[in-house]
Amino acid sequence: LGSGTCASDLPSIPNRFPPGFWVTWNGGHLLFDVSEGIRFRLEQIGIKYPTVEHIAITHAHADHYVLPPFLLAVFCHPLWGGVKATDLDLYAPNQIVETWPTLFKIHVPEAPAPNDHCTDEGFLWPKLRWHKMSGSRAIPLSNATLRSVDVFHGFGHCPALAFRLETSEGTVVYSGDSGDCEGIRQITRDADLFISEASGMVGHRDGAKRYGHLTPFDAGDIARESGVKKLLLTHYPGLDRDEAMIEDCRKSGYKGEIQVAKDFQEIMV
């Protein structure tokens, strides 16, 4: 749904939205990251956003985590003839779970205290079920398994996760924002698809590593070592040509399929 960064309307990447990936399989669905404008992108692929039941959030930066506006839209949808949401399961770093009540009250001070959910009479907030996923966690999700691992980001000061979704149809790993670290190499093992951020520009490995981002070369090196079958480069600034990104990735020795993500691209596993 979004292959861009936190900035928009740049000459190099017009009309690309912040990160967001809608994954479906026989028996379930999952939204990776609830970024700015994600509900509009869901609408554009025919998904009514109040029907989303599972959201995995990688970290608290606003180009990945803008939940209050999303929930406000979900709240208002049935008031004007739309769909009333039911339960919503959210999988996130512990820091996001613990700070959610404060964040919610800042945005909606008149609503009941959220705690685990808001279903007081007169309010139509969906029931929220938060799952703390910091550390190496595994949790059943429909007929699949969602795994998490801590990754390095924001000079090590931003709690961040990478996720691994294991289904009967294949395994997808989503890096979120991550530098090259033990966690990202651990969770990508033998994945069918690795959706990897590539915020670090070609030739800027040192700076990317210090902050906690990957260059195309780094993503390829991780994919090579982990035996990843297909690599999707996303969340890139767009200042390097697609061909240059793929060439940089190949220099790592990765031999599998590489694609540079575009908004609304469909990937089959």
Side-chain angles (χ1 to χ4, degrees):
L1 304 178
S3 62
T5 63
C6 51
S8 58
D9 195 30
L10 298 174
S12 59
I13 50 169
N15 302 318
R16 284 205 293 136
F17 269 51
F21 294 87
W22 179 248
V23 184
T24 64
W25 64 97
N26 184 21
H29 69 251
L30 174 67
L31 175 63
F32 281 126
D33 278 337
V34 57
S35 58
E36 179 185 3
I38 201 70
R39 63 186 176 93
F40 303 112
R41 308 303 258 183
L42 288 165
E43 289 173 356
Q44 287 176 270
I45 64 169
I47 303 297
K48 292 189 179 297
Y49 55 84
T51 67
V52 174
E53 297 175 330
H54 300 279
I55 302 176
I57 302 164
T58 57
H59 63 291
H61 286 158
D63 53 337
H64 295 256
Y65 171 54
V66 189
L67 186 60
F70 180 86
L71 283 182
L72 184 61
V74 168
F75 170 84
C76 290
H77 208 272
L79 297 180
W80 300 308
V83 177
K84 184 180 185 303
T86 53
D87 297 351
L88 179 59
D89 284 89
L90 299 119
Y91 314 86
N94 294 5
Q95 174 240 3
I96 286 180
V97 180
E98 292 162 2
T99 57
W100 167 248
T102 300
L103 181 63
F104 179 81
K105 293 299 288 185
I106 289 171
H107 282 265
V108 196
E110 76 278 13
N115 297 323
D116 294 327
H117 59 88
C118 297
T119 56
D120 293 47
E121 187 174 354
F123 288 88
L124 302 176
W125 301 106
K127 180 178 180 180
L128 304 185
R129 288 195 293 252
W130 285 99
H131 305 272
K132 291 183 174 182
M133 299 295 288
S134 294
S136 297
R137 298 290 310 279
I139 191 168
L141 193 161
S142 299
N143 58 348
T145 300
L146 181 67
R147 301 183 186 276
S148 64
V149 69
D150 295 332
V151 293
F152 181 84
H153 185 53
F155 298 113
H157 299 300
C158 180
L161 300 175
F163 287 105
R164 179 184 180 97
L165 179 67
E166 299 171 346
T167 79
S168 60
E169 299 171 48
T171 297
V172 176
V173 172
Y174 175 50
S175 69
D177 279 358
S178 170
D180 189 354
C181 58
E182 180 181 351
I184 196 64
R185 289 183 177 269
Q186 168 191 330
I187 204 166
T188 49
R189 293 288 179 194
D190 300 316
D192 294 293
L193 173 65
F194 176 27
I195 305 171
S196 175
E197 71 122 292
S199 300
M201 292 175 56
V202 172
H204 290 74
R205 294 184 66 200
D206 289 343
K209 184 175 183 178
R210 282 195 301 272
Y211 183 76
H213 279 307
L214 300 174
T215 65
F217 180 96
D218 297 320
D221 190 57
I222 293 165
R224 175 192 57 77
E225 183 186 79
S226 298
V228 169
K229 297 180 179 64
K230 184 183 297 187
L231 177 60
L232 183 67
L233 300 175
T234 189
H235 198 31
Y236 54 93
L239 297 177
D240 294 312
R241 293 178 298 106
D242 291 2
E243 296 79 8
M245 293 175 64
I246 292 173
E247 180 182 359
D248 190 54
C249 192
R250 289 292 185 208
K251 289 178 180 178
S252 70
Y254 178 63
K255 303 296 185 183
E257 182 179 346
I258 307 169
Q259 293 188 45
V260 178
K262 308 298 179 185
D263 288 21
F264 297 120
Q265 181 179 13
E266 294 186 22
I267 304 291
M268 299 295 294
V269 174

